[in-house]
Amino acid sequence: MLGAPYVARLLGGTLTGRLPNSMAPIGILLWVTGSGGTIAFGGLLAALYGLASALSQPVKGRLMDRRGQRSVHLPSAVLNSALLAALPVAGPHGGATLTATIAVAAGLTAPPLEAGLRALWPSVLPEPRIRHAALALDTGTQGLLHIVGPVLVAALASAYSPSVALVATAALGLTGTLVVATAPPSRRWHPRPAQSGDGAARRLSSGPLVALFVALLGVGVALGALTVWAVSMARIHHADILSGLLPAAFSTGSFLGGLVYGRRTWPVSISLQLRIGGAAFLAGWLPLLALPGPHTAAAAVMLPGAFLTVVVATAYVTTDVLAPADRTSEAYAWLILSIGVGQAAGTALAGRLSEYALTLAVLPAAGALFALTVLTLARPGHSPGPVGHHRRRRT
C-alpha cells in the first residue's frame, strides 16, 4: 500500500501538516506563561484555538467540495502559519484582546487536511482491499500526532524559547500542507456531481448519518475523559509521567490496531464491523473500573485504543456510503467535528468529577456505552446487500 504512487507522500504530508493541531495549543500555553501570563489565560487561548479549528471544519469541507482541495488548503495553510508566527510578535503589544483574536483566527484557518486525505483515498487507491489498509493505517497513525507533537513543542520551548516553538509549529504546518496540496491527486481532485439517487435519503441531515455523528460524540467523550483520568492517575500515584504515558499507551494501541485491522479484508459488512468495534471499544474500558495500578493501567488502555481505529475507520466508510457524492468532504468534516465536540465535553465533565476516582474511571466506558447504544439502535449503513465497498471513485 505504501508503495503505491503518492500514498507515502499524502500520508506523510498530512501527518506533518496536522502536527500544529497538537503542537499549537501547548505552544500557545507555554508562550503565555513564559511571557508572564497566567495558566488560566494560556489555557483559554489554547481552548479557543482548538474550538475554532473544530467548529470551522464543516465550512472548510463544504468549500473543498465546491472549489477543490488546493484552493482551500493553500490559503488556509498560509494564513494559519502567518498567524501562529505573528502571535509572539503581536501579543505583547496588543494585549489580551488582540492575542485572543489571533488565536481564534489561527484556529479558524487550520487546513482541513484530515477530511481532505479521506476524500482522496478512493481516487489514489481504487482497489478496495488496498484502500481498506490505507484507511486503517491513516486512522491508526492519527494518535501518534498527540505523542510526537507535545514532546516536540516542549523540547523546542525548553531548548530555545516558546516563541521559537510557535514559529516551528507554523513552519511544519505550512510544509506538510504544501506537500499535500502540490501532489497531483490533490491538485486534480474534484467531487463528482450529485447523482440522481442523492435525494432526501442522502442528505447530510438524513437520519442514519445524523445517528452516526451522534454516536461518535460518545467516542469523543471517552477520549476526552481519558486525558483527565491520566492526570488523576499521575496525582494519585505521585508519578507525573503517567499523565503522558497513559495517553501514549492508548495511542500506541490505536496504531497497532490499525496495522492489524488493515492487513486483511473482514468477511462481514461494514455496518456489523462498526457495531462490533463499538462493543469491543466499550469492553476495553471496563478493566479501568477495577482502579488498576499504573503498569496494569498502561497495558489496559491499549485495548480500547486498538478498537478505536476500527470504530473510526468504519465510521468513515459508512459516511462515504451515506453522504451525497458531491458533499463527502463536508460529511467527513462533520464526523471530525462530532468526535472533537464529544472530546471537549468529556474533558470538561471529567474535570468536574476529577475528585471521584471511580466515577472518573467510569466516564470513558459511559461514553463508549452511549456510542454503542446509538449504533445498535440506529444501525447506520445497514443494508441487506453486501456492504463495505466505497461506492465511487474520483478522478
Side-chain angles (χ1 to χ4, degrees):
M1 180 269 293
L2 288 173
Y6 305 114
V7 168
R9 176 176 177 175
L10 292 171
L11 183 58
T14 297
L15 292 175
T16 303
R18 292 189 64 235
L19 274 173
N21 289 4
S22 59
M23 293 177 66
I26 295 176
I28 291 170
L29 177 58
L30 293 175
W31 171 73
V32 169
T33 55
S35 302
T38 64
I39 294 178
F41 182 60
L44 174 63
L45 292 188
L48 288 173
Y49 179 90
L51 186 62
S53 177
L55 293 178
S56 62
Q57 286 285 334
V59 175
K60 290 176 284 193
R62 185 65 181 272
L63 287 173
M64 280 197 297
D65 284 334
R66 290 185 172 184
R67 304 289 184 180
Q69 292 197 359
R70 191 177 186 183
S71 61
V72 176
H73 284 337
L74 291 179
S76 296
V78 171
L79 287 171
N80 175 260
S81 298
L83 289 164
L84 286 176
L87 192 58
V89 178
H93 305 290
T97 301
L98 178 61
T99 303
T101 301
I102 293 175
V104 170
L108 290 173
T109 54
L113 291 171
E114 185 176 0
L117 180 62
R118 296 320 171 22
L120 285 175
W121 286 138
S123 62
V124 175
L125 297 170
E127 183 182 343
R129 183 180 66 84
I130 303 299
R131 187 166 63 246
H132 167 80
L135 185 58
L137 181 62
D138 170 14
T139 303
T141 53
Q142 301 304 318
L144 299 181
L145 296 174
H146 299 284
I147 301 174
V148 176
V151 171
L152 181 57
V153 75
L156 289 169
S158 176
Y160 301 99
S161 71
S163 296
V164 171
L166 279 176
V167 172
T169 300
L172 284 170
L174 181 59
T175 300
T177 305
L178 286 174
V179 169
V180 173
T182 57
S186 182
R187 287 192 287 109
R188 294 193 301 253
W189 185 88
H190 290 283
R192 287 183 57 184
Q195 301 169 351
S196 58
D198 284 349
R202 289 197 184 279
R203 295 196 307 264
L204 289 187
S205 58
S206 67
L209 201 53
V210 170
L212 176 63
F213 296 157
V214 170
L216 292 174
L217 289 171
V219 174
V221 168
L223 300 181
L226 169 66
T227 303
V228 179
W229 173 77
V231 173
S232 175
M233 286 285 288
R235 183 182 59 194
I236 291 171
H237 296 282
H238 306 288
D240 291 342
I241 193 174
L242 288 177
S243 61
L245 177 63
L246 294 175
F250 180 86
S251 297
T252 301
S254 179
F255 176 68
L256 295 176
L259 294 179
V260 173
Y261 178 67
R263 279 189 62 84
R264 57 172 293 182
T265 300
W266 302 90
V268 297
S269 71
I270 286 295
S271 177
L272 183 56
Q273 288 181 45
L274 182 59
R275 297 197 300 278
I276 292 173
F281 183 64
L282 168 61
W285 292 111
L286 297 182
L288 300 189
L289 304 185
L291 302 179
H295 295 92
T296 304
V301 295
M302 294 181 70
L303 183 59
F307 286 100
L308 172 69
T309 299
V310 179
V311 173
V312 175
T314 51
Y316 271 105
V317 176
T318 303
T319 300
D320 187 58
V321 171
L322 295 174
D326 61 336
R327 297 182 69 182
T328 49
S329 296
E330 183 184 358
Y332 296 151
W334 278 108
L335 188 156
I336 296 167
L337 174 60
S338 297
I339 296 176
V341 170
Q343 194 165 354
T347 300
L349 184 58
R352 296 292 298 272
L353 301 173
S354 59
E355 298 300 321
Y356 307 96
L358 181 58
T359 304
L360 189 58
V362 167
L363 195 54
L369 177 61
F370 174 83
L372 178 61
T373 301
V374 175
L375 292 174
T376 301
L377 294 177
R379 304 182 75 182
H382 176 70
S383 171
V387 178
H389 297 284
H390 290 276
R391 70 179 185 277
R392 54 186 172 267
R393 175 182 175 184
R394 297 180 183 84
T395 56

